[in-house]
Amino acid sequence: MPAVVAHPDDESFGLGGLLGLLSDGGVPTTVLCFTHGEASTLHGSPGDLHTVREGELACAARELGVQRVELAGHPDGGLGDIPSYRLTAQVTRLIGEERPSHLLVFDTGGVTGHRDHQRATEAALLSARRAGAAVLNWTLPRRWRTG
């Protein structure tokens, strides 16, 4: 079951528990991540953030039992500038390869209100609708949202 996210760490918060549970149950899981998360303000690790975040995603995927990770390499903070057809084409290709029953995404508000999160969800929803796949989205109650 693919999860479609914007940044490394998006697969872990919110979706991580479900990805781990699915993997433990023998369901093949994939993460399609649109950016390297290189614009993060959480610079707690030394080194090139582009590379550090890529390594964090690989480590998280191993911990969660995710079998496949795709890192698209679009600019962090810039998914709003990427034409929708390019983002949906990547999700559509993944759906065609894996034929999942569901996609995992954040809610349409991007959980935190982050535009990159919203664009990742929009691309997944459009692709799923066209492919006839269901979508399971993660959300927070409004009082807990930061955006």
Side-chain angles (χ1 to χ4, degrees), residues 78-134:
L79 291 185
D81 298 328
I82 305 297
S84 181
Y85 74 86
R86 286 187 52 205
L87 299 175
T88 57
Q90 291 178 287
V91 180
T92 299
R93 179 192 43 76
L94 182 65
I95 291 171
E97 291 172 5
E98 298 201 0
R99 305 274 187 229
S101 60
H102 292 75
L103 294 180
L104 304 176
V105 299
F106 287 173
D107 66 16
T108 55
V111 176
T112 64
H114 194 300
R115 184 66 181 133
D116 281 357
H117 294 172
Q118 294 167 351
R119 292 285 288 170
T121 296
E122 290 166 7
L125 291 174
L126 183 57
S127 298
R129 188 175 309 118
R130 289 177 179 164

Side-chain angles (χ1 to χ4, degrees), residues 24 42 68 81 84 90 100 106 118 129 135 137 144-145:
D24 288 349
L42 305 173
R68 178 179 176 189
D81 298 328
S84 181
Q90 291 178 287
F106 287 173
Q118 294 167 351
R129 188 175 309 118
V135 176
N137 71 329
W144 296 107
R145 293 180 187 223

Side-chain angles (χ1 to χ4, degrees), residues 133-145:
V135 176
L136 180 62
N137 71 329
W138 178 68
T139 190
L140 290 173
R142 184 167 304 276
R143 69 176 182 250
W144 296 107
R145 293 180 187 223

Side-chain angles (χ1 to χ4, degrees), residues 45-66:
S45 300
D48 171 53
L49 199 52
H50 186 276
T51 304
V52 168
R53 299 293 307 275
E54 182 176 354
E56 290 171 351
L57 176 59
C59 182
R62 282 190 303 275
E63 288 294 320
L64 295 171
V66 172

